[in-house]
Amino acid sequence: MGASDRQEDEAAAPEARLLAARQALRAGVDRSRALGRALARDAARAEGGIRARLPAMEASARPIRAPPEALASAGRDIDRALGPAAAVLKVFDAVHGLEAALLARGSLTGDLPGYLAVLAQLEAALRLLADNCGLAAQWLADIVAYLGERDLADPRFVADLAGQLHRLKKEDPAGLDAGLLAAALGMLEAEFRRLLAEHSAPLAMKDPDSSSPASVVPSRIPASVVHKLGLILDRLAANGRLDRCSAAYADARGDTVGASLRALGLDYLKETSEDAQTLSPSVERWGRHLEFAVHHLLEAERKLCVAVFERRPEAMPSCFAEIAARAGILDFLKFGRALADTRKDPIKLLRLLDVFESLNKLRLDFNRLFGGKACAEIQSRTRELVKVVVDGSVEIFEELLVQVELQRNMPPPVDGGVPRLVSFVAKYCNQLLVEPYRSVLTQVITIHRSWRKEAFDDKMLVGAVLNIVKTLEINFETWSKAYGDTTLSCLFMLNVHWHFFKHLKGTKLGELLGDAWLREHEQYKDYYSAVFLRESWGTLAPLLSREGLIMFSKGQATARDLVKQRLKSFNANFDEMFQKQSTWVISDRDLQQKTCHLVVQAIVPVYRSFMQNYGPLVEQDISSSKYVKYSAEDLDKMLNTLFLPKPGRPRRAGSFQIRHSGDNITSAMTGLYRSASTLK
């Protein structure tokens, strides 16, 4: 570049700088103006906000303008009120801190003691809140009132704060945890039910019709679970849920025991009938099942109930009573009452004694298991059943002698067999005099007599039963005289005397009656047997007499006619007697065979001898078949078929039913004691 060019550039430089300065100045002026306008706008908004907040700021600042002594007094009171309030707030914080642990299902099932410990902390915190929250709120309310009375705070603020404190004081302390305790207790109750359901399956049992009532699987509730149930129940009971726990426990265990019992087959408990014999087959099962239910199921259930309710023993009796009721103990008592309400019948007496014996064996167990007010219904039903059983048994027993006397007017069996009454009374009275019925009946009558302040003992029972048998003997003569046929009357007496001898010899009843009494009946049998043979079949042998035939031994025609006459007479009498006696019965098989043998011996040898000597005189005649109807072998076979019992033939004098005897019949027991001297 040349010197002239440098001079021109130096002359232009001041002008450019001046132009740049001018532009910068103008830009600054523009920014100042914009900032001024913005400040003006912000100032207006700030003034409006300040004016809006000014009353509140003024109220807040007012205590500062209050007298120093008033502020100092209020400060001390506020400090005293805020201390308890701050403590309450700390408890609230602690309650909320327990929420996670209490609502976690795993902590309940995995560590029950730990869960209960946390729950105890919650309960303690809620008790502290219940005790102090109201007091703290009252103190705060007093401070608010103090501030308002001395105009130390804004009236609107004071009024709002006072309203909130009033609502806080009125709020139920139970709701201070926002339902946390209720939720935790609900989880505990659910766990209680779960443990019961998991360990309350019915026992696996079977009941064959045998003397062994059942095979039992041991209880599935281990001691550890029982301990958990007790801990849970105690905690729930402490929070007013004992009744709900008891109901849940009774539901679970009662249904379990009931299901276990039903597995034995208890449908018969609901049977109803007016006939004791219809219910008789079920009485033995009833006693066996009742004993099993008491000794095994309910005994174990009571022990379990005591263990679970160990910390709350006051609730155990009512809970166990409910379990027993649900298990069906009342159904057993109802069955016994149904039996007691059936018609009076001798068999009913034995069944009532069975019921009494079962109840008496369980008397101590009933008193122990079902004692106390909680089991009042079971006690009442049991006492009622015992009373009707005792009254019913004594009533039937007192009627037995009367009924035997009444049967005297009944017609005897038309076939001369043993009346059903005779065989029944012989067996029945022997049952009453052997164990267990002898001691049970003595005890029952003794109890009944004690209610009337009268005495009774075993000797009186023996005398009463023996007198029934003696009274039945009197019936024999009356019945025998009712027959129009003397031989049938003899056959009847033969039957009954032999029946007494054979069926009472070697028995307790026969032992008490004595050997002389039994031999007397044996002798009567022999006597009537001889009379029967003499008056019936013994009359046929003389018809085959040889008298007169020797005189005509040289005149065959005359002898033949005489033989024909005697055979004709024999055949007619034999046919008539056989036809008549073929409907008669000798009840005892041995006696029947022996009697048939005697009949055969009385006739067949005589007939055989007669036919051997004089049969040829007739057999040569063309009409011999009219006179020689039987061979000796035919007679033997026919006679051995006599006196066999006919199946399906009804027996008379045997419907031994207890009927009302009427006012003209003396009480059976009175008659028994009155006649006791005749048994010596």
Side-chain angles (χ1 to χ4, degrees):
M1 175 181 294
S4 58
D5 291 335
R6 287 196 297 272
Q7 292 177 354
E8 289 178 1
D9 290 338
E10 292 175 357
E15 182 179 355
R17 288 195 294 271
L18 181 62
L19 183 60
R22 178 183 175 189
Q23 290 176 346
L25 181 61
R26 181 173 295 174
V29 171
D30 291 339
R31 285 196 298 272
S32 297
R33 290 176 179 173
L35 181 60
R37 289 192 296 270
L39 288 173
R41 289 194 302 270
D42 292 340
R45 286 196 300 270
E47 183 177 0
I50 292 172
R51 289 177 180 176
R53 292 194 296 271
L54 186 60
M57 296 173 62
E58 183 179 0
S60 300
R62 185 175 303 166
I64 301 175
R65 299 195 300 269
E69 59 277 9
L71 291 175
S73 177
R76 290 191 300 271
D77 293 336
I78 291 173
D79 290 341
R80 283 195 299 270
L82 290 179
V88 168
L89 290 176
K90 289 182 180 180
V91 175
F92 268 114
D93 291 338
V95 168
H96 290 302
L98 301 175
E99 183 174 346
L102 291 175
L103 297 182
R105 182 72 185 179
S107 60
L108 172 58
T109 57
D111 182 14
L112 178 62
Y115 186 89
L116 294 177
V118 175
L119 182 61
Q121 296 177 14
L122 174 63
E123 293 173 1
L126 292 179
R127 286 193 298 270
L128 184 61
L129 287 177
D131 294 340
N132 295 282
C133 187
L135 181 61
Q138 182 60 51
W139 285 356
L140 290 175
D142 291 343
I143 292 300
V144 170
Y146 179 86
L147 294 176
E149 291 171 358
R150 288 163 176 73
D151 197 28
L152 297 179
D154 180 56
R156 290 173 297 175
F157 173 75
V158 171
D160 182 59
L161 188 57
Q164 293 184 24
L165 290 173
H166 180 71
R167 288 192 296 272
L168 182 62
K169 287 190 294 183
K170 292 178 63 177
E171 187 174 345
D172 185 3
L176 296 176
D177 64 339
L180 179 58
L181 178 61
L185 295 176
M187 291 178 61
L188 264 186
E189 189 172 329
E191 178 67 5
F192 186 80
R193 294 177 182 272
R194 185 191 69 80
L195 290 173
L196 283 174
E198 185 175 324
H199 299 281
S200 292
L203 300 177
M205 297 187 294
K206 60 180 180 178
D207 180 33
D209 292 330
S210 64
S211 58
S212 178
S215 59
V216 187
V217 175
S219 174
R220 293 180 55 204
I221 302 186
S224 59
V225 175
V226 172
H227 180 65
K228 288 182 179 180
L229 290 172
L231 291 176
I232 295 175
L233 187 143
D234 181 52
R235 201 71 261 127
L236 291 172
N239 287 276
R241 299 197 179 196
L242 181 59
D243 291 342
R244 293 171 63 173
C245 286
S246 298
Y249 185 87
D251 286 346
R253 298 307 304 171
D255 291 346
T256 298
V257 178
S260 299
L261 277 175
R262 286 192 296 273
L264 300 177
L266 302 182
D267 293 341
Y268 67 88
L269 293 180
K270 295 180 173 57
E271 292 179 3
T272 57
S273 175
E274 294 183 359
D275 187 2
Q277 297 194 43
T278 302
L279 300 178
S280 289
S282 299
V283 173
E284 190 274 335
R285 284 190 297 164
W286 174 85
R288 191 173 73 248
H289 289 162
L290 177 60
E291 182 176 357
F292 176 78
V294 171
H295 283 168
H296 296 278
L297 295 181
L298 292 178
E299 178 69 36
E301 206 59 40
R302 188 178 188 277
K303 291 180 179 178
L304 178 62
C305 199
V306 169
V308 172
F309 286 83
E310 181 180 6
R311 295 174 176 80
R312 299 290 171 171
E314 70 279 4
M316 192 281 295
S318 60
C319 187
F320 177 72
E322 181 65 21
I323 292 172
R326 284 178 172 269
I329 190 67
L330 294 178
D331 291 337
F332 282 95
L333 300 178
K334 288 178 183 177
F335 176 85
R337 183 55 191 264
L339 176 67
D341 290 340
T342 57
R343 290 190 298 263
K344 289 190 293 183
D345 181 276
I347 296 300
K348 177 182 175 180
L349 171 58
L350 301 180
R351 299 293 79 81
L352 289 178
L353 294 179
D354 290 335
V355 170
F356 180 86
E357 183 185 21
S358 295
L359 293 175
N360 191 50
K361 286 195 300 185
L362 297 173
R363 179 171 54 87
L364 296 178
D365 299 292
F366 265 62
N367 292 339
R368 178 172 49 81
L369 292 177
F370 308 124
K373 296 181 179 179
C375 295
E377 183 179 5
I378 297 176
Q379 298 169 21
S380 175
R381 294 281 187 90
T382 304
R383 287 193 298 267
E384 178 183 326
L385 177 57
V386 170
K387 187 176 189 310
V388 297
V389 166
V390 170
D391 289 342
S393 300
V394 173
E395 183 179 6
I396 294 174
F397 183 72
E398 289 183 343
E399 282 285 330
L400 292 178
L401 178 64
V402 177
Q403 297 304 321
V404 171
E405 293 174 347
L406 289 175
Q407 294 291 324
R408 197 172 297 162
N409 300 320
M410 297 292 292
V414 295
D415 56 12
V418 177
R420 187 175 299 160
L421 177 67
V422 175
S423 57
F424 177 85
V425 169
K427 179 180 179 181
Y428 187 80
C429 289
N430 191 64
Q431 283 183 288
L432 294 180
L433 290 179
V434 297
E435 299 300 337
Y437 290 121
R438 179 171 177 171
S439 60
V440 175
L441 181 56
T442 301
Q443 185 177 6
V444 166
I445 300 178
T446 301
I447 292 173
H448 189 268
R449 289 261 163 166
S450 69
W451 295 342
R452 298 184 294 183
K453 301 188 182 306
E454 298 174 0
F456 190 84
D457 56 30
D458 181 70
K459 291 182 179 180
M460 298 173 71
L461 173 66
V462 172
V465 174
L466 294 183
N467 204 44
I468 294 174
V469 179
K470 292 288 187 177
T471 302
L472 180 60
E473 284 186 286
I474 302 174
N475 291 11
F476 295 171
E477 292 294 334
T478 303
W479 286 333
S480 69
K481 294 176 182 178
Y483 290 107
D485 190 311
T486 303
T487 56
L488 180 56
S489 176
C490 288
L491 183 74
F492 169 77
M493 294 296 275
L494 168 69
N495 266 315
V496 294
H497 283 290
W498 177 249
H499 185 88
F500 255 25
F501 173 79
K502 183 174 181 179
H503 288 85
L504 294 182
K505 185 179 181 180
T507 66
K508 187 65 177 180
L509 180 56
E511 176 187 334
L512 293 171
L513 287 166
D515 290 338
W517 185 89
L518 292 173
R519 284 195 302 271
E520 182 180 352
H521 281 280
E522 186 180 23
Q523 293 166 1
Y524 271 127
K525 183 267 298 183
D526 294 336
Y527 168 77
Y528 284 110
S529 176
V531 173
F532 170 75
L533 289 172
R534 184 181 70 243
E535 297 297 328
S536 59
W537 298 103
T539 62
L540 296 184
L543 298 177
L544 299 177
S545 171
R546 299 182 183 185
E547 184 179 354
L549 292 176
I550 299 176
M551 295 174 58
F552 298 104
S553 59
K554 295 182 180 180
Q556 288 190 357
T558 303
R560 183 183 300 112
D561 291 340
L562 190 57
V563 170
K564 287 181 179 180
Q565 291 175 5
R566 292 186 179 179
L567 285 175
K568 183 178 180 180
S569 177
F570 174 85
N571 290 335
N573 282 274
F574 177 87
D575 289 343
E576 179 185 359
M577 194 170 298
F578 182 83
Q579 183 178 4
K580 179 175 64 174
Q581 296 195 16
S582 63
T583 62
W584 297 357
V585 167
I586 294 180
S587 304
D588 182 76
R589 177 62 174 167
D590 292 336
L591 183 60
Q592 181 265 338
Q593 292 178 346
K594 183 177 181 180
T595 304
C596 287
H597 177 72
L598 293 175
V599 172
V600 169
Q601 292 301 312
I603 296 175
V604 173
V606 176
Y607 183 80
R608 179 181 292 112
S609 176
F610 185 85
M611 291 302 296
Q612 286 175 350
N613 291 318
Y614 305 107
L617 294 174
V618 180
E619 291 169 353
Q620 296 173 1
D621 195 285
I622 58 174
S623 60
S624 64
S625 60
K626 293 175 56 178
Y627 305 101
V628 184
K629 294 180 62 175
Y630 307 107
S631 67
E633 289 73 17
D634 292 336
L635 293 180
D636 190 302
K637 290 179 180 179
M638 292 175 65
L639 292 174
N640 276 293
T641 63
L642 287 173
F643 315 126
L644 291 174
K646 309 303 185 292
R649 178 170 294 181
R651 314 296 303 156
R652 300 302 301 274
S655 57
F656 188 41
Q657 298 292 327
I658 301 294
R659 298 185 295 273
H660 293 292
S661 56
D663 296 336
N664 59 329
I665 302 276
T666 306
S667 167
M669 290 300 288
T670 303
L672 293 176
Y673 302 140
R674 183 188 63 233
S675 307
S677 59
T678 64
L679 302 176
K680 297 179 181 178

